[in-house]
Every structure is written in C-alpha cells, then in structure tokens.
Amino acid sequence: VAKKQGRNLVKPFVPSMQEELAKRVRIEGDLRAAIRQGEIVPYYQPLVDLKANKIIGFEALARWKSASGDFIPPSEFIPVAEEAGLIVELTDQLLRRACTDALSWPNELVLSFNLSPIQLSDRLLGLRILKILGDVGLPAHRVELEVTESAIIQDAVTARIVLDDLVNAGVRIALDDFGTGYSSLSQLSNYRFDKIKIDRSFVASFETDDKQDIVIKAIIALGAGLGVMITAEGIEEQSQLQRLQDLGCDIGQGYLLGRPAPIEEITAHQVDSMQRR
Ligand code: C2E
Ligand code: MG
Ligand code: MG
Ligand code: MG
C-alpha cells in the first residue's frame, strides 16, 4: 500500500520542495548582497492621534526593492534573515538609518521600530540599540520598539533583561499584533507596556462581525484601565475610523491615514499638511 501511495503522493511534492529550497537559497544569497549594499531601507507609515487628529510619529517598515524592481515583502525576507544569521546586521543597519531619518522630523515625532521575536533572546540587544541611538544622537524618548507576545514568551528571562535596559534608558515599548498568536493576558500584568497595538485582523472584520466590535471595545477598556495607549492597525475605511474614534481608541494606523512611504516623501511640509487633516 505504502509503495502504491508513495508513487502517487511523493512525486508531486518533490519538485515543489526542490523549488522551495532553491528559492530559499537564492533569496539568502540575494539578501546577503542586498544588506551589504544597503538596498533594504525603512519606509514610514504615520501613526495618528485619533483624538487630536495629528501625526505623532511613524512606524519604520523594512522594504527591499529587488534588482528586477519589485518589492519583496518583509514577511518573506525577515524570516530568511533570522535563519541565515543576518538579522543582527540587518536590524543594526535599518535602525541606524531610521534614527538618522527621524532626526529630520519635527522634534516631537516618535520613531516606532519592529523587533523580531528571535532578537529578544539576545541579551546584548538593548545595549546595542542604545549604542546606535547614542551614535546617531536621537534621544531615547523619541524611540518606541514594537515587540510581540511570542517574542516575550520564547525566552522570558532574557526578554526582561533587554526590555529593562531599554525602558530604563527612556525607550518606549509597544505590544504589536495584540490578539493574535500566543496571546496571553498575563503578559499585560508582567510588563509595563506603553502601547498595545490591536492586530489589523480585528479592525478588518469588526464592522461585519458584532463579536469583533465587542473585542475591540474590551481592548480599549483594558487599555484605559491599565493606563496603556491603544493603537488600531489596518484602518482602511472611513467607517472603521469613525467607529474607532467613537469607541475612544487613542491611535490609528492604516492605508486610509497614510501608506508606508520612503523618507523623501516624509518631508516637513507633508507632515505639516497631514497635521491639519
Ligand atoms: P507589523 O509590525 O504588524 O506592521 C504592520 C503591517 O501592516 C505592515 O506590513 C504594513 O504595511 C501593513 N499595513 C499598514 N496599514 C495597513 C492597511 O490599512 N491595510 C493592510 N492590509 N495592511 C496595512 P509590512 O510592511 O508588509 O510588514 C509586515 C510585518 O513585517 C510587520 O508587521 C513586522 O512584523 C515585520 N517587519 C517589517 N519591518 C520590519 C523590520 O524592520 N524588522 C523586523 N524585525 N520586522 C519587520
Ligand atoms: Mg509593527
Ligand atoms: Mg502590527
Ligand atoms: Mg501585524
């Protein structure tokens, strides 16, 4: 039976596995070169204070424009960078660049930067980040780091050391993609987050799904109770924005409010006009 099935099952998988592997090897080689040549750059998406209607900062989102001209999404190359041991180099490069860019923004604007789960098990991460801020001259209070719950759960002891180093220096910490993955409410009492970002899957479906509306309402109430700011990700529709504002959500982010854009487009003039939206 096995032989018979084997013939039918194995055959179609072999080529696709080889393709996958070949693709992986190719991306890894290209990635190494792209990092060396500084081809992966941060784009910036506005974070908007939904009560005052003004931009309070930007989230840096890594963008890799390949030689062929198309963009390879971070969901594809960040995991490769992690596995290939390139994530430290890539992060240092992106963060240095983002901090330098942030120096050209109005002083009150914050730079929000994503950390991969794997990085939080590196004891020296906090100190390395602070070294970069120091080198560039960006004050720690203008920097916010986005971490996920799975990152903290992976190696809680080391994550605590890293986050403490950063928090003690004045860096703020946001809990990203809240409500997905290994969501554990215990993280909220173990750590003192400055912000909680509601995953965009909730925002995408909450108008058509009463339960999601209740979930979002509860998260906003939780934030108010804990004294933690709540950000809603993935706002694409005016009606979503309106509902989140009615519910008292603090901060919003999404294509409706602004797409990720290269630094050239984040000029003082643009920030200014966005402030008056
Ligand atoms: P994230 O941190 O949750 O970032 C938000 C993602 O939602 C971004 O995808 C952003 O482009 C997208 N987004 C924003 N507004 C909307 C919207 O209205 N609709 C929709 N459909 N999407 C929206 P992106 O840039 O592809 O990044 C994906 C993930 O990759 C990020 O999720 C983050 O976890 C990771 N990532 C991005 N840049 C970096 C980086 O420099 N370092 C690390 N470690 N991870 C990064
Ligand atoms: Mg993020
Ligand atoms: Mg997120
Ligand atoms: Mg997300």
Side-chain angles (χ1 to χ4, degrees):
V1 178
K3 202 174 171 192
K4 207 171 176 187
Q5 275 184 349
R7 229 172 244 149
N8 292 332
L9 290 175
V10 172
K11 223 176 167 184
F13 285 117
V14 171
S16 80
M17 269 175 61
Q18 279 175 340
E19 272 165 37
E20 267 307 302
L21 193 66
K23 187 180 171 194
R24 193 77 171 202
V25 170
R26 183 162 36 78
I27 292 186
E28 191 181 314
D30 291 352
L31 183 60
R32 219 173 274 279
I35 294 172
R36 207 178 318 118
Q37 286 150 26
E39 282 172 14
I40 302 175
V41 299
Y43 269 38
Y44 301 98
Q45 185 177 34
L47 300 161
V48 177
D49 178 332
L50 296 182
K51 290 168 181 163
N53 247 316
K54 64 172 208 198
I55 293 180
I56 53 169
F58 291 91
E59 177 175 1
L61 293 161
R63 291 291 178 268
W64 176 12
K65 197 173 180 181
S66 71
S68 60
D70 6 273
F71 282 97
I72 300 163
S75 56
E76 247 176 68
F77 66 81
I78 297 282
V80 178
E82 287 175 352
E83 277 175 35
L86 296 168
I87 191 70
V88 170
E89 196 182 341
L90 176 60
T91 301
D92 285 11
Q93 193 180 87
L94 281 170
L95 181 63
R96 199 170 282 275
R97 182 125 181 197
C99 289
T100 307
D101 287 345
L103 280 180
S104 70
W105 305 341
N107 273 334
E108 70 279 7
L109 296 186
V110 164
L111 166 71
S112 207
F113 191 89
N114 292 282
L115 295 177
S116 307
I118 195 177
Q119 296 186 278
L120 277 188
S121 52
D122 169 3
R123 243 165 224 273
L124 294 177
L125 176 72
L127 300 179
R128 246 196 342 265
I129 290 174
L130 295 175
K131 165 85 165 60
I132 292 175
L133 303 193
D135 287 351
V136 174
L138 187 67
H141 72 265
R142 288 192 58 195
V143 177
E144 179 178 274
L145 296 167
E146 302 194 4
V147 302
T148 58
E149 289 162 289
S150 50
I152 293 167
I153 291 164
Q154 257 177 35
D155 183 351
V157 175
T158 309
R160 160 77 63 190
I161 295 170
V162 170
L163 294 181
D164 281 351
D165 281 346
L166 292 161
V167 167
N168 289 337
V171 172
R172 279 173 273 186
I173 309 293
L175 185 57
D176 205 358
D177 302 341
F178 186 72
T180 62
Y182 302 93
S183 245
S184 155
L185 291 173
S186 67
Q187 297 309 327
L188 295 180
S189 42
N190 288 341
Y191 289 89
R192 181 65 198 96
F193 295 105
D194 300 283
K195 252 185 219 167
I196 293 171
K197 301 187 77 173
I198 309 177
D199 192 72
R200 74 164 188 268
S201 55
F202 292 96
V203 176
S205 58
F206 84 122
E207 288 174 300
T208 50
D209 183 346
D210 286 349
K211 291 200 202 79
Q212 301 289 47
D213 196 272
I214 292 168
V215 170
I216 290 196
K217 235 188 272 182
I219 297 175
I220 291 170
L222 190 67
L226 292 170
V228 178
M229 300 273 261
I230 300 294
T231 302
E233 301 184 318
I235 303 173
E236 295 181 356
E237 313 283 344
Q238 188 61 45
S239 54
Q240 294 169 335
L241 176 63
Q242 189 58 56
R243 182 69 184 136
L244 288 161
Q245 279 175 322
D246 291 347
L247 291 176
C249 187
D250 302 295
I251 301 158
Q253 182 178 8
Y255 295 164
L256 179 74
L257 301 165
R259 288 186 176 259
I263 185 63
E264 301 80 46
E265 289 173 30
I266 312 297
T267 59
H269 169 75
Q270 206 206 1
V271 170
D272 224 51
S273 65
M274 285 192 281
Q275 304 281 41
R276 280 186 263 107
R277 286 175 57 101

